[in-house]
């Protein structure tokens, strides 16, 4: 599929979400029987993707950076098991802890982490999660990171519905004053036990959803980062290393790889990234594009950021596509539980 075709499909899904349209079929009717048979086999081989517990990483990071009279930055994680950190055993291995520590180090300011993400959640749970995140109007998050979409694909939620729920969540958070970064739907074609043709169909469906998510998020004032194959070609090359024991959720190394890619966008949204790095670099194939084209380009390379640019253009809203350089994550300090 060409970049222009991908952009058209993403735009159609996003438009359907905006105007209440129905779902767009991501696989032909002739493939449905084979898809369902393969899905049953994959489910038996992968398992249900659960682990007995998800580490509770909520608390204060960067205590040594505290300045009297200066409140900590507030970071809230929303979405599914990827945002919660399912699949790892220690607090410091979760994406929330990694991002909170990274922001605290770059901002030289403590960061209070709160996680409302729920393993197994689909995008229709985001409304509830946002309500929890915004329950106290005096403690609105400075930055919210949402990772969602994989369960929408595996549970066959129509992509227009999925994008509609996500767009609404981003709009509510932005209206409340929070910056929003969304890690778009990961490439489910990288899940090791999944065989062809399900692997191809899963990759196609997840990438189409990721592109449509990008359009919906950017149009509501958020930023996206393509999770793709969980942010690195090494994920597909070394699945034993970057998948967790259940072969479905990321391992500690996988989450660290994802966090390193999301951190620059989180810091840019908070105004912490060097200004010279915000300018597009033509040598890195960065620049201003119609939002649908930027979304289609982003899903082809994990770690690509898309954010709103000029309000309108000859082909609708425009966006800035960035391929930010990843930063090494600082050591995660012991967490101080929130009061």
């Amino acid at each position: 599929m060409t970049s222009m075709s991908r952009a058209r499909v993403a735009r159609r899904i996003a438009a359907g979400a905006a105007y209440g349209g129905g779902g767009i079929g991501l696989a032909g009717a002739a493939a449905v029987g084979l898809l369902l048979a393969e899905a049953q086999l994959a489910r038996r081989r992968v398992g249900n993707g659960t682990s007995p517990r998800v580490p509770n990483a909520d608390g204060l990071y960067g205590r040594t950076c505290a300045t009297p009279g200066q409140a900590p930055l507030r970071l809230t994680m929303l979405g599914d098991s990827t945002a919660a950190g399912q699949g790892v055993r220690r607090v410091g291995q979760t994406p929330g802890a990694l991002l909170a520590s990274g922001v605290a180090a770059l901002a030289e300011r403590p960061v209070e982490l709160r996680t409302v993400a729920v393993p197994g959640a689909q995008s229709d749970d985001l409304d509830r999660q946002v309500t929890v995140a915004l329950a106290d109007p005096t403690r609105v998050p400075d930055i919210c990171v949402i990772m969602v979409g994989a369960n929408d694909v595996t549970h066959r939620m129509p992509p227009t519905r999925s994008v509609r729920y996500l767009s609404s969540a981003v709009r509510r958070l932005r209206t409340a004053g929070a910056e929003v970064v969304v890690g778009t739907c990961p490439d489910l074609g990288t899940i090791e036990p999944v065989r062809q043709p399900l692997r191809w169909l899963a990759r196609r469906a997840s990438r189409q959803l990721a592109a449509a998510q990008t359009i919906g998020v950017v149009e509501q004032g958020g930023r996206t980062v393509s999770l793709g194959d969980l942010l690195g070609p090494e994920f597909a090359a070394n699945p034993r290393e970057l998948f967790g024991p259940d072969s479905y959720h990321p391992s500690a190394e996988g989450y660290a790889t994802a966090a390193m890619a999301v951190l620059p966008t989180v810091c840019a949204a908070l105004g912490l990234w060097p200004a010279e790095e915000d300018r597009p670099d033509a040598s890195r194939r960065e620049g201003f594009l119609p939002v649908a084209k930027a979304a289609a380009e982003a899903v082809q390379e994990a770690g690509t950021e898309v954010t709103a640019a000029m309000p309108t253009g000859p082909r609708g809203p425009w966006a800035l596509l960035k391929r930010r350089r990843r930063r090494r994550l600082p050591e995660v300090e012991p967490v101080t539980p929130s009061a």
Side-chain angles (χ1 to χ4, degrees):
M1 185 182 290
T2 66
S3 176
M4 192 60 67
S5 298
R6 289 190 295 268
R8 281 197 297 267
V9 171
R11 170 54 71 189
R12 285 171 59 205
I13 295 173
Y19 298 108
I24 295 176
L26 297 178
V32 171
L34 180 59
L35 175 61
L36 293 177
E38 284 289 331
Q40 291 295 330
L41 177 61
R43 188 173 295 114
R44 289 197 297 271
R45 298 180 68 190
V46 173
N48 61 10
T50 61
S51 62
R53 62 181 289 271
V54 176
N56 180 9
D58 289 6
L60 190 67
Y61 294 78
R63 297 185 306 276
T64 57
C65 302
T67 300
Q70 184 182 51
L73 291 168
R74 299 189 183 100
L75 164 64
T76 300
M77 302 291 295
L78 304 93
D80 57 23
S81 56
T82 306
Q86 187 170 11
V88 296
R89 296 181 180 275
R90 295 196 296 273
V91 164
Q93 297 171 331
T94 63
L98 293 165
L99 289 172
S101 296
V103 171
L106 288 169
E108 298 184 341
R109 181 176 172 184
V111 173
E112 183 180 349
L113 172 66
R114 186 184 186 194
T115 303
V116 299
V118 178
Q122 300 176 50
S123 292
D124 58 3
D125 191 50
L126 289 176
D127 183 63
R128 183 196 62 80
Q129 292 184 26
V130 170
T131 297
V132 173
L134 299 179
D136 185 348
T138 68
R139 297 176 62 83
V140 173
D142 295 288
I143 182 80
C144 292
V145 175
I146 304 174
M147 297 179 179
V148 75
N151 295 318
D152 297 10
V153 173
T154 59
H155 289 78
R156 293 181 292 167
M157 178 184 288
T160 50
R161 283 184 58 205
S162 178
V163 173
R164 191 179 309 133
Y165 290 128
L166 176 59
S167 298
S168 175
V170 174
R171 180 168 58 252
R172 288 181 63 194
L173 292 169
R174 293 291 293 130
T175 299
E179 297 291 339
V180 181
V181 173
V182 175
T184 56
C185 182
D187 183 351
L188 299 182
T190 61
I191 297 176
E192 191 180 35
V194 177
R195 302 189 309 181
Q196 297 291 12
L198 180 58
R199 180 174 294 212
W200 179 85
L201 291 169
R203 168 165 286 135
R204 183 182 179 211
S206 51
R207 286 188 174 188
Q208 287 182 355
L209 177 57
Q213 286 178 320
T214 297
I215 296 173
V217 169
V218 169
E219 290 183 345
Q220 297 302 326
R223 302 178 186 227
T224 63
V225 179
S226 169
L227 291 186
D229 54 5
L230 282 180
L231 310 177
E234 66 271 36
F235 194 47
N238 301 298
R240 296 294 185 188
E241 178 183 349
L242 291 184
F243 274 117
D246 60 8
S247 295
Y248 186 84
H249 293 101
S251 66
E253 292 81 5
Y255 279 127
T257 304
M260 278 193 294
V262 174
L263 178 62
T265 299
V266 168
C267 290
L270 291 169
L272 302 174
W273 210 243
E276 61 271 16
E277 292 193 23
D278 270 337
R279 291 190 289 270
D281 184 344
S283 68
R284 295 168 58 83
R285 294 177 292 115
E286 299 176 344
F288 297 97
L289 296 168
V291 66
K293 184 169 177 55
E297 290 287 334
V299 299
Q300 301 306 305
E301 184 176 340
T304 303
E305 174 191 321
V306 180
T307 186
M310 294 166 277
T312 59
R315 287 178 281 177
W318 281 60
L320 173 60
L321 184 144
K322 291 281 296 177
R323 294 180 171 88
R324 295 187 184 275
R325 293 175 174 84
R326 303 177 193 178
R327 288 286 183 91
R328 289 186 62 83
L329 296 166
E331 292 294 324
V332 177
E333 61 184 80
V335 64
T336 300
S338 299

